[in-house]
Amino acid sequence: AWSWFAGMNGNSYVTHCILQQLYRLPLLTGVPLPTDLRDLARKGMNYLHQEAMMRYAERHSKALHNRQMSASQEDLNYLYLLAISGEKPSTKQQKVVDECLKLWEEARAATSLAQKARLAVVLFAYGRNSSAAEVVQSIKEYLTLIPGRGASFAMKEAYMWGMGNISLHVACMEALQWAGGEEALIEQMK
């Protein structure tokens, strides 16, 4: 796990950010990660697997006390990394993945635009194409098309901490790319 500063404990947010960049590099360049970076990524994912297992146990502890279970942003980030890395979870981890998928799929209508973009990628990666298509349709409903200027989102904020307008725009383009058949719209968004 990576931490904010040397000597500090590992942090799931920092680890996620670094792994996202490591896993996206091969997708952008077509060149696989070197062995040393793959090993680092594997160690980071092992940390995130453990964190996901702890959240799973915590959710079930709350369920025993009649509290509603819900997936967290960290769970969505975890699912996203699994989706773009192609990594297959162990049998034990698969229970966590299945539950997170179910909770996020059920909550898809009440998500922010940034979450919708991530969720669409995750749902497509796990073969939940019908739900993913609904999410993509919702993303498209936020777009404004201005002739000669292209497609963009008419908003001042991204509705998710750390997700600026450009990051949000790119995340939505990625979701449309996973959907397929949206090349013309993606070009408008560029």
Side-chain angles (χ1 to χ4, degrees), residues 36-86:
D36 57 337
L37 289 180
R38 276 197 314 266
D39 291 342
L40 280 175
R42 190 172 302 111
K43 289 177 184 175
M45 277 308 292
N46 287 340
Y47 171 76
L48 292 181
H49 288 314
Q50 292 170 356
E51 292 287 307
M53 294 292 287
M54 288 187 338
R55 287 190 304 275
Y56 176 83
E58 187 178 312
R59 265 194 306 276
H60 284 268
S61 171
K62 287 179 181 178
L64 290 174
H65 295 93
N66 295 323
R67 293 189 192 145
Q68 183 159 348
M69 291 194 324
S70 63
S72 68
Q73 181 64 44
E74 286 180 310
D75 292 322
L76 182 58
N77 292 342
Y78 172 67
L79 292 172
Y80 176 76
L81 288 176
L82 287 173
I84 66 171
S85 70

Side-chain angles (χ1 to χ4, degrees), residues 113 116-117 132-145 151-153 172 175-176 179-183 185-186 189:
L113 189 53
K116 287 178 191 304
E134 285 179 28
V135 174
V136 166
Q137 181 58 39
S138 178
I139 290 170
K140 290 165 59 174
E141 290 169 5
Y142 281 90
L143 279 169
T144 302
L145 184 61
S152 62
F153 298 103
C172 290
L176 292 168
E182 299 290 351
E183 291 77 15
L185 181 55
I186 292 170
M189 292 177 74

Side-chain angles (χ1 to χ4, degrees), residues 2 7-8 30 33 61 72 76 88 90 92 96 121 141 164 187:
W2 284 273
M8 294 177 75
L33 286 176
S61 171
S72 68
L76 182 58
K88 302 295 180 218
S90 70
K92 195 166 134 180
V96 175
V121 170
E141 290 169 5
E187 284 302 315

